[in-house]
Amino acid sequence: MEEKRHTHVRKKKRKLRKGRTFFIILVLLAIIVGVYSYTQYKAGQKLAASSGITHKTEQFKGDTQTKSNVENILLLGVDSRGEARSRTDSMMLVSWNKDTNDVKMVSFMRDIYANIPGYQSYKLNTAYYLDGVQLLKSTLQNMFDVEINHYALIDFKSFESLVDIIAPNGVQVYVDHDMSQNIGVSLKKGEQRLNGKELLGYSRFRHDNLGDFGRVDRQQKALEGLKKEALSPSNFKNYPKLLGAIQGYVQTDLTNSKELSYMLSIIKGGGINIQRLTIPVEHSYSYGYYPQAGSVLEINVPQNQQALDKFLGSNK
């Protein structure tokens, strides 16, 4: 009887030792992950700080969400080239349904002839140049009656760096044809893995038969390819550095905790389904010219508003 009791005590002690060892290993792993994440986050911040990129103060008031599960973010790309004022080269509305993890991406052509509140009519991309994100938001809402909750603005040089952080092995896209004119890189037709500079060049190329429409289509495809790389398990380790770099490279009204929450929610949700739309839609525009604006796209506003409302409908 005494021997059985001793045997039971020894087994219990062994279980306790194994339990303590497992707990210690978990603590050590947590410390290692924490230290790695912190050092990578700080490395990202340092990288962004060393770029010398400065942001002007933006006055932005986002709309109150009509549904808690849908977030509409105005994503803007600018080519500042060190200038204090610049035009938006890329304007997209990203509508994210957090319940389904579906994303609807709407690109607005920069040459749309727009009624800009408080100013005479210009191309749509001039609104940001005149008075920042808030004026562009007001212009889009006046034309299309669309809800905009947040904004994120990135300079093209910053875009290159962020791509190289999140996808160090490049982003896979299909290049429609050879491209080199005015994009700073030479790309060959076919399936390619593009680094940040090459992906930016691919996105900005416009010297083909499709002109700006082709450029907008490539921008959407570039973001879709980048999304796939960002959600690849092999690139999860790059997230801390990415989050640190975002603080300096991306100007937004979102707080750090909100950005992290979005990132974690997307990872948790798994793959993202992306649907795309370009405004103006087919057969809804004509070409025009105005002295103060140059060559423009004159659009049928009600037709495009209806198309946009229908496209975003299931996310409302």
Side-chain angles (χ1 to χ4, degrees):
M1 190 73 172
E2 185 69 19
E3 185 178 343
K4 286 184 178 180
R5 188 177 70 83
H6 284 304
T7 301
H8 177 72
V9 170
R10 284 196 298 271
K11 287 182 178 178
K12 189 173 182 181
K13 285 182 177 179
R14 281 198 296 270
K15 286 182 179 178
L16 287 172
R17 283 197 297 270
K18 288 180 180 178
R20 283 197 297 268
T21 301
F22 182 68
F23 177 73
I24 290 170
I25 291 173
L26 283 180
V27 170
L28 288 174
L29 284 174
I31 292 172
I32 291 170
V33 170
V35 170
Y36 170 82
S37 298
Y38 178 77
T39 54
Q40 288 297 299
Y41 177 84
K42 298 302 287 187
Q45 284 187 319
K46 185 177 180 181
L47 180 65
S50 66
S51 68
I53 294 173
T54 57
H55 300 292
K56 68 177 184 179
T57 303
E58 291 289 351
Q59 302 299 321
F60 180 82
K61 184 177 180 181
D63 298 323
T64 302
Q65 288 177 237
T66 55
K67 279 196 173 182
S68 60
N69 65 318
V70 175
E71 201 99 40
N72 289 341
I73 302 172
L74 184 60
L75 180 61
L76 306 174
V78 300
D79 185 13
S80 65
R81 303 182 187 183
E83 299 172 356
R85 303 174 73 186
S86 54
R87 288 171 171 78
T88 42
D89 195 73
S90 174
M91 294 168 285
M92 294 184 183
L93 183 72
V94 179
S95 183
W96 175 39
N97 187 315
K98 291 177 278 188
D99 288 346
T100 62
N101 222 31
D102 290 339
V103 168
K104 295 191 174 183
M105 186 188 301
V106 183
S107 292
F108 297 95
M109 299 287 288
R110 61 184 183 178
D111 289 346
I112 291 172
Y113 193 54
N115 181 13
I116 301 175
Y119 297 86
Q120 63 178 317
S121 296
Y122 288 103
K123 291 180 181 179
L124 181 61
N125 71 339
T126 306
Y128 175 76
Y129 175 85
L130 292 171
D131 201 15
V133 175
Q134 189 65 36
L135 182 59
L136 176 56
K137 173 180 177 287
S138 298
T139 303
L140 289 171
Q141 288 185 312
N142 284 354
M143 293 186 73
F144 304 109
D145 190 29
V146 62
E147 180 180 305
I148 299 173
N149 309 120
H150 301 286
Y151 86 93
L153 185 148
I154 184 169
D155 186 273
F156 286 143
K157 292 300 293 182
S158 301
F159 175 80
E160 290 181 20
S161 299
L162 289 177
V163 170
D164 290 337
I165 290 173
I166 194 59
N169 294 320
V171 176
Q172 188 166 337
V173 296
Y174 181 81
V175 180
D176 310 272
H177 46 75
D178 292 357
M179 302 177 183
S180 60
Q181 190 174 349
N182 297 336
I183 59 174
V185 293
S186 293
L187 305 177
K188 296 295 182 182
K189 179 180 178 179
E191 201 76 27
Q192 309 279 347
R193 293 198 72 88
L194 307 180
N195 62 26
K197 185 175 183 179
E198 292 167 337
L199 189 66
L200 177 62
Y202 167 80
S203 303
R204 300 193 68 192
F205 183 80
R206 57 183 296 187
H207 297 280
D208 58 14
N209 294 335
L210 295 176
D212 245 12
F213 284 94
R215 183 183 64 89
V216 166
D217 181 63
R218 282 186 287 274
Q219 287 176 356
Q220 294 176 340
K221 289 177 179 176
L223 288 182
E224 194 163 354
L226 186 58
K227 176 267 298 184
K228 291 178 182 177
E229 292 298 329
L231 294 179
S232 170
S234 63
N235 285 325
F236 286 177
K237 65 183 183 298
N238 304 320
Y239 279 17
K241 188 175 183 179
L242 174 68
L243 190 59
I246 283 174
Q247 310 311 313
Y249 281 138
V250 179
Q251 186 169 353
T252 179
D253 65 310
L254 295 168
T255 63
N256 295 358
S257 59
K258 192 88 170 179
E259 292 167 8
L260 180 59
S261 173
Y262 283 178
M263 194 175 293
L264 293 175
S265 295
I266 290 171
I267 296 171
K268 184 179 177 182
I272 300 176
N273 298 313
I274 294 183
Q275 298 179 55
R276 301 183 288 151
L277 178 72
T278 297
I279 297 292
V281 296
E282 195 173 5
H283 308 307
S284 72
Y285 64 91
S286 59
Y287 294 96
Y289 178 86
Y290 294 88
Q292 81 281 9
S295 298
V296 300
L297 293 173
E298 294 190 280
I299 73 170
N300 182 319
V301 174
Q303 183 179 346
N304 280 281
Q305 187 181 99
Q306 184 179 15
L308 179 60
D309 189 63
K310 182 179 179 181
F311 179 70
L312 296 178
S314 60
N315 263 11
K316 287 188 175 182

